[in-house]
Amino acid sequence: MKRAEIIAVGTELLLGQIANTNAQFIAKHLSALGYHHHFQTVVGDNSERLKSALEIASSRSDLIILTGGLGPTKDDLTKEVVAEFVQESLVYHEQSLEYIEQYFIKVNRPMTENNKKQALVIHNAHVLLNKNGMAPGMVYEVKNKQFVLLPGPPKEMIPMVEKELIPYFLKGKEASTIISKELKFFGIGESILETEILDLLENQSNPTIAPLASEGEVMLRVTASASNQQEAEKLIGQAEEKIRERVGQFIYGTNNENLFTVLSSKLKDFKLTISAAESLTGGLFSKRLTDIPGNSSIFKGSVVCYSNEIKQNLLNVPADILNKNGAVSAECAKSLVENIQRLTGSNISISFTGEAGPSTLEDVPVGKVFIGIKIGDSDSIVKEFQFSGTREQIRLSSVKNGANLLIKLINSSFESQDL
Amino acid sequence: MKRAEIIAVGTELLLGQIANTNAQFIAKHLSALGYHHHFQTVVGDNSERLKSALEIASSRSDLIILTGGLGPTKDDLTKEVVAEFVQESLVYHEQSLEYIEQYFIKVNRPMTENNKKQALVIHNAHVLLNKNGMAPGMVYEVKNKQFVLLPGPPKEMIPMVEKELIPYFLKGKEASTIISKELKFFGIGESILETEILDLLENQSNPTIAPLASEGEVMLRVTASASNQQEAEKLIGQAEEKIRERVGQFIYGTNNENLFTVLSSKLKDFKLTISAAESLTGGLFSKRLTDIPGNSSIFKGSVVCYSNEIKQNLLNVPADILNKNGAVSAECAKSLVENIQRLTGSNISISFTGEAGPSTLEDVPVGKVFIGIKIGDSDSIVKEFQFSGTREQIRLSSVKNGANLLIKLINSSFESQDL
């Protein structure tokens, strides 16, 4: 098995301004690609030190993946140093140069000379197109070593790895096909999930099953290798079946799905429209729904009722409720969800009211949240939650629990009668 | 100035299960402690490879900080490898051993033999007490090298650095002070900014000036070192003045400020309230304003008018405008901003309408956005933009440009008369 290592280039990493999440992302892919991964290095924007890191890495690894330092400024010198190291020149990559020129024409801004530099690539390298930025990546192969250069910004690096680098590595390799499938969970913690499937986690080697937790959710990544795709999919299917037998009720989706894409699909499937009244979440639920393109058919709109004045005047919450029960109350959540549905004429509506913290205004405990849901003509329901964590975590927990509740309620209300 | 580097030990980092946030945290402190920081390494729980990482690090740095591998299991071998490297034995640290024994008595669980191992420290090392876990940290000094061993879990490592390590380093030192200040820019690209101040970037060594770009913004980090804080601040002030002379009109804030915290402060300063009508941004502007705690005094609320129906029914945009000019038009932005102000009674209002893509519905180019702003009784104004990038980038550009416009307009409308 070949050895791979990662060199992240960027003084911002050494200053502690950002964490090296690029290395984390790439590391996840290395074992699936069949590499041992033994070292990661971070080095600043300095050619001497980058050269020394390259020397060390190439003395002990077969694949060296570098991230960062491909931008337009004088600080960006990764490809210059690698080119010198492998004794190649830099040449303009026509397609990338054209793309950069077109970009500046489109945004109607002058292209400064240093932007042209981004289209330079190492002579004889395979170019990885950058569809989310200007600087292309590259793979340079010499003897038994491979050097991969990737841009630093994750929004450019991640799609380049997924859409350009991995297909490049897999091309022409009949030998082993490696396929992964992610199972997405909500409403179960990582340690409980792990306990439930401990024997599967420990005894499986093909497929491997790896739990990963982030942003209040857990996923299991099931990765199989086989001689062909069909065989790998069969292995994954068998493992998935065992997992679903135990904890299937917590699985809401797979792969690139998230709670909001699943909710959107459900609404589209049943030709339903939705609206929201958002107090503590301040627009986050609506933002997450509209992150997804093409949702104008299902999402009518929302009222972000951050002040009591708007709750009262725009959403007709009775002054009585605000005075007696307070804005953070089941009664307020109920009034909000009923009124936003009436106001927008949507089939389904949801409301959020609560205390996101960090401190509290009205003696309401930080993290206390009420979510109201109304489906069609049915009576509205209100659920009370007590979340913990930072303001950001409490707001995120609120909208994710809201989406999860909606998915379950839509399933139970519509699935039996319509399918 | 001495050189420091960080070695994080842990296979979980190489598997991509976690990001190396420990290195980020420690990095932030190194420059304040007066160290140059040139390299970070990640290595797995393997004694041979850890030894090789130690050899490389101690050949080029004076201070080597290791995190992780101090726990009770067989995988944890950092102190064993370092002890062998510096040719010292491991000895029990009585205070830590007692603490571990007490812990197991307290939780009423038997203490297994491997837990005792956590109280072993390198002979002749200064011990850093662990008040949030069992394994103590240590500082071992030999000739001109220092080796610092810290536990891996951030909840143990962070307080140990803050309460044990930094005081140990500062004890008896007059020390040189290093201070940084960040200048935040909007409306100028990284490459143009760099061109404008190229001579400053190239000729400055104290303070250093480093540009950093992220999410459509650029910042300059100005870092000075001097014998005391006052002297360092004076150096930063002189550099800042030169920068402001050239590109000051693009600076909207400093350090931890962002466009939305600056906007919030302005609104508070002048006791103004704001509301928004959001179409393509789908709640993102409201979300960003409510990310900041304590904004209920300035933010009344918003209508997320994603559908034309809501634009017409809730925000009274005339059907005529929607039919003739379309939802993505200056006329629609004007009607939205005037009606949301009327509806909420806020002093200031903003509207967003445009095409976020990735594909277009009504022959409107992707990235075309109209932002309407109304300040008090003044006539509303509408600005047209053509943004590029992904859906996410177009939406982010929209709300950031909106916030930037608001800051400028509030400054010009209120600053002269009220200050």
Side-chain angles (χ1 to χ4, degrees):
Chain A
M1 207 157 156
K2 290 192 166 187
R3 289 158 304 174
E5 65 181 275
I6 301 167
I7 300 177
V9 187
T11 301
E12 65 275 25
L13 289 159
L14 295 178
L15 291 171
Q17 289 167 345
I18 52 172
N20 192 3
T21 54
N22 282 354
Q24 183 186 12
F25 173 82
I26 295 165
K28 283 183 197 166
H29 284 286
L30 285 176
S31 66
L33 283 167
Y35 285 92
H36 280 304
H37 174 37
H38 291 158
F39 295 98
Q40 292 169 4
T41 306
V42 173
V43 60
D45 302 312
N46 173 288
S47 58
E48 278 311 302
R49 289 192 283 273
L50 174 52
K51 198 180 146 207
S52 104
L54 263 178
E55 277 163 3
I56 292 167
S58 62
S59 74
R60 63 191 181 191
S61 293
D62 308 293
L63 167 66
I64 294 121
I65 300 184
L66 298 105
T67 62
L70 301 183
T73 78
K74 287 175 68 74
D75 276 356
D76 297 304
L77 36 75
T78 301
K79 63 194 168 197
E80 288 78 358
V81 172
V82 176
E84 199 191 318
F85 188 75
V86 300
Q87 301 181 315
E88 288 278 8
S89 59
L90 290 171
V91 294
Y92 280 107
H93 182 245
E94 284 307 322
Q95 197 182 339
S96 296
L97 188 57
E98 204 171 297
Y99 180 82
I100 295 169
E101 285 166 349
Q102 287 301 321
Y103 170 84
F104 282 96
I105 291 169
K106 199 169 136 198
V107 299
N108 198 18
R109 264 169 43 199
M111 184 176 111
T112 54
E113 195 57 26
N114 52 2
N115 274 300
K116 249 180 99 172
K117 168 175 173 288
Q118 295 188 92
L120 283 171
V121 297
I122 297 170
H123 189 227
N124 289 321
H126 169 78
V127 174
L128 306 169
L129 295 179
N130 188 344
K131 286 167 185 153
N132 301 280
M134 291 191 222
M138 54 209 98
V139 182
Y140 183 84
E141 315 206 1
V142 57
K143 290 175 203 147
N144 284 319
K145 305 260 173 225
Q146 288 180 306
F147 297 86
V148 174
L149 286 76
L150 299 170
K155 73 177 176 7
E156 301 178 25
M157 187 277 298
I158 291 172
M160 191 182 284
V161 167
E162 289 175 341
K163 302 212 174 98
E164 298 277 325
L165 183 63
I166 292 176
Y168 175 80
F169 274 138
L170 293 181
K171 203 159 73 183
K173 278 192 191 170
E174 303 191 33
S176 63
T177 304
I178 296 181
I179 298 179
S180 283
K181 182 170 187 178
E182 294 172 359
L183 303 176
K184 304 284 183 83
F185 291 78
F186 193 80
I188 184 170
E190 189 182 13
S191 54
I192 295 177
L193 173 60
E194 223 174 273
T195 308
E196 292 287 332
I197 59 162
L198 198 60
D199 55 321
L200 300 181
L201 289 175
E202 287 184 344
N203 301 326
Q204 291 272 0
S205 62
N206 188 24
T208 57
I209 302 173
L212 281 170
S214 78
E215 294 200 329
E217 293 187 31
V218 195
M219 73 162 186
L220 289 178
R221 191 183 180 93
V222 186
T223 307
S225 62
S227 58
N228 59 61
Q229 175 149 353
Q230 205 185 355
E231 192 57 34
E233 277 171 359
K234 195 177 147 195
L235 288 170
I236 288 177
Q238 288 163 351
E240 182 177 347
E241 204 182 306
K242 285 183 204 158
I243 296 166
R244 284 190 184 265
E245 272 169 24
R246 312 247 187 112
V247 284
Q249 72 270 34
F250 298 104
I251 300 178
Y252 71 81
T254 59
N255 298 331
N256 293 323
E257 291 179 330
N258 65 46
L259 285 162
F260 295 89
T261 62
V262 172
L263 172 60
S264 302
S265 303
K266 291 269 169 225
L267 292 167
K268 280 178 194 161
D269 286 351
F270 298 114
K271 297 195 178 14
L272 299 168
T273 56
I274 190 168
S275 63
E278 301 197 53
S279 180
L280 89 149
T281 52
L284 180 57
F285 181 84
S286 309
K287 185 259 177 199
R288 291 298 294 259
L289 262 191
T290 58
D291 281 343
I292 303 156
N295 270 352
S296 43
S297 63
I298 53 135
F299 179 53
K300 290 213 171 191
S302 301
V303 171
V304 180
C305 46
Y306 209 57
S307 63
N308 279 357
E309 200 183 328
I310 301 289
K311 289 184 185 76
Q312 213 174 324
N313 297 345
L314 243 74
L315 284 167
N316 300 98
V317 177
D320 219 35
I321 287 180
L322 294 172
N323 296 333
K324 277 195 203 146
N325 308 93
V328 182
S329 65
E331 291 78 5
C332 184
K334 181 175 152 71
S335 175
L336 286 173
V337 78
E338 288 172 357
N339 281 305
I340 189 72
Q341 193 184 43
R342 192 182 43 72
L343 214 57
T344 62
S346 63
N347 307 116
I348 290 178
S349 58
I350 186 165
S351 68
F352 299 90
T353 183
E355 178 53 66
S359 56
T360 181
L361 283 179
E362 303 168 347
D363 288 336
V364 177
V366 171
K368 185 169 193 162
V369 174
F370 293 90
I371 299 179
I373 292 183
K374 186 160 162 60
I375 307 231
D377 298 329
S378 310
D379 287 345
S380 58
I381 56 166
V382 175
K383 294 251 180 194
E384 182 179 344
F385 295 87
Q386 179 59 52
F387 299 122
S388 59
T390 61
R391 180 178 175 83
E392 194 187 341
Q393 288 165 336
I394 289 167
R395 282 158 41 105
L396 196 60
S397 294
S398 302
V399 300
K400 283 192 171 184
N401 275 280
N404 188 51
L405 276 176
L406 283 169
I407 293 168
K408 297 201 168 204
L409 286 168
I410 293 170
N411 277 345
S412 62
S413 307
F414 296 90
E415 211 134 69
S416 52
Q417 64 206 64
D418 286 39
L419 282 183
Chain B
M1 206 158 157
K2 290 193 167 185
R3 289 157 305 174
E5 65 180 278
I6 301 167
I7 301 178
V9 187
T11 300
E12 66 276 23
L13 289 158
L14 295 178
L15 291 172
Q17 287 167 348
I18 52 173
N20 192 3
T21 54
N22 282 355
Q24 183 185 13
F25 173 82
I26 296 165
K28 283 185 192 160
H29 285 286
L30 285 176
S31 67
L33 283 167
Y35 285 93
H36 281 303
H37 174 37
H38 291 157
F39 295 97
Q40 293 170 2
T41 306
V42 174
V43 61
D45 302 312
N46 174 287
S47 59
E48 277 311 303
R49 289 191 283 273
L50 173 53
K51 198 180 147 208
S52 107
L54 263 177
E55 277 164 4
I56 291 167
S58 62
S59 74
R60 64 192 179 190
S61 294
D62 308 295
L63 168 66
I64 294 120
I65 300 184
L66 298 106
T67 62
L70 301 183
T73 76
K74 286 174 71 73
D75 275 355
D76 296 304
L77 36 77
T78 301
K79 62 193 169 197
E80 288 79 359
V81 172
V82 176
E84 197 191 319
F85 188 74
V86 300
Q87 299 179 317
E88 289 277 9
S89 58
L90 290 171
V91 294
Y92 280 107
H93 182 244
E94 284 307 323
Q95 197 182 340
S96 296
L97 188 57
E98 202 171 301
Y99 181 82
I100 295 170
E101 284 165 349
Q102 288 301 320
Y103 171 84
F104 281 97
I105 291 169
K106 202 169 128 197
V107 298
N108 197 19
R109 263 168 43 199
M111 185 176 109
T112 54
E113 194 57 25
N114 56 357
N115 275 301
K116 249 180 99 173
K117 168 176 175 286
Q118 294 187 96
L120 284 171
V121 297
I122 297 171
H123 189 228
N124 289 321
H126 168 80
V127 174
L128 306 169
L129 295 179
N130 188 344
K131 287 167 185 154
N132 300 278
M134 292 190 223
M138 55 208 97
V139 182
Y140 183 85
E141 315 206 2
V142 56
K143 289 175 203 151
N144 284 319
K145 304 264 173 222
Q146 288 179 307
F147 297 86
V148 174
L149 286 76
L150 299 170
K155 73 173 176 14
E156 301 177 27
M157 186 278 297
I158 290 173
M160 190 181 286
V161 167
E162 290 174 341
K163 305 216 170 97
E164 300 276 325
L165 183 63
I166 291 175
Y168 175 81
F169 275 137
L170 293 181
K171 206 157 73 183
K173 269 194 194 172
E174 302 199 27
S176 66
T177 306
I178 297 186
I179 297 180
S180 282
K181 181 169 186 178
E182 293 172 1
L183 304 175
K184 304 283 182 86
F185 291 78
F186 192 79
I188 184 169
E190 187 181 12
S191 52
I192 293 175
L193 173 60
E194 205 174 292
T195 308
E196 293 287 332
I197 59 162
L198 198 59
D199 55 322
L200 300 180
L201 288 176
E202 286 183 345
N203 301 327
Q204 291 273 0
S205 62
N206 187 25
T208 57
I209 303 173
L212 279 170
S214 77
E215 294 201 329
E217 293 186 32
V218 196
M219 72 163 188
L220 290 179
R221 189 183 179 94
V222 186
T223 306
S225 62
S227 59
N228 60 59
Q229 174 149 350
Q230 204 184 359
E231 192 57 35
E233 276 170 1
K234 194 176 148 197
L235 288 170
I236 288 178
Q238 288 164 349
E240 183 176 347
E241 204 181 308
K242 283 185 206 158
I243 296 166
R244 284 189 184 267
E245 272 169 22
R246 312 246 186 113
V247 284
Q249 71 269 36
F250 299 105
I251 299 177
Y252 71 80
T254 59
N255 298 330
N256 292 324
E257 292 180 330
N258 66 47
L259 284 163
F260 295 88
T261 62
V262 172
L263 172 59
S264 303
S265 304
K266 291 269 167 226
L267 292 168
K268 281 177 193 164
D269 287 350
F270 298 114
K271 297 195 178 13
L272 299 169
T273 56
I274 190 168
S275 63
E278 301 197 53
S279 180
L280 89 149
T281 52
L284 181 57
F285 181 83
S286 309
K287 185 258 175 199
R288 290 298 293 259
L289 262 191
T290 57
D291 281 342
I292 304 157
N295 271 353
S296 42
S297 63
I298 52 133
F299 179 53
K300 291 215 171 190
S302 302
V303 171
V304 180
C305 47
Y306 209 59
S307 64
N308 279 358
E309 201 183 326
I310 301 289
K311 289 185 185 77
Q312 213 173 322
N313 298 345
L314 243 74
L315 285 166
N316 300 96
V317 176
D320 219 35
I321 287 180
L322 294 172
N323 295 332
K324 275 194 204 146
N325 308 92
V328 183
S329 65
E331 291 79 4
C332 183
K334 182 176 153 69
S335 174
L336 287 173
V337 79
E338 289 172 357
N339 281 305
I340 189 73
Q341 193 185 41
R342 191 182 44 71
L343 214 56
T344 63
S346 63
N347 306 115
I348 291 179
S349 56
I350 185 164
S351 68
F352 299 90
T353 182
E355 178 54 63
S359 57
T360 182
L361 282 179
E362 303 170 345
D363 288 337
V364 177
V366 170
K368 185 171 193 161
V369 174
F370 293 90
I371 299 179
I373 291 184
K374 185 160 164 60
I375 307 232
D377 297 330
S378 309
D379 287 345
S380 58
I381 56 165
V382 175
K383 294 253 181 193
E384 182 178 344
F385 295 86
Q386 178 60 53
F387 299 122
S388 60
T390 61
R391 179 177 176 86
E392 193 187 340
Q393 289 165 334
I394 289 167
R395 281 157 44 105
L396 195 60
S397 293
S398 301
V399 300
K400 284 193 169 183
N401 275 281
N404 188 52
L405 276 175
L406 283 168
I407 293 168
K408 297 200 167 207
L409 287 168
I410 292 170
N411 277 346
S412 62
S413 307
F414 296 90
E415 211 132 72
S416 53
Q417 63 205 64
D418 288 38
L419 283 185

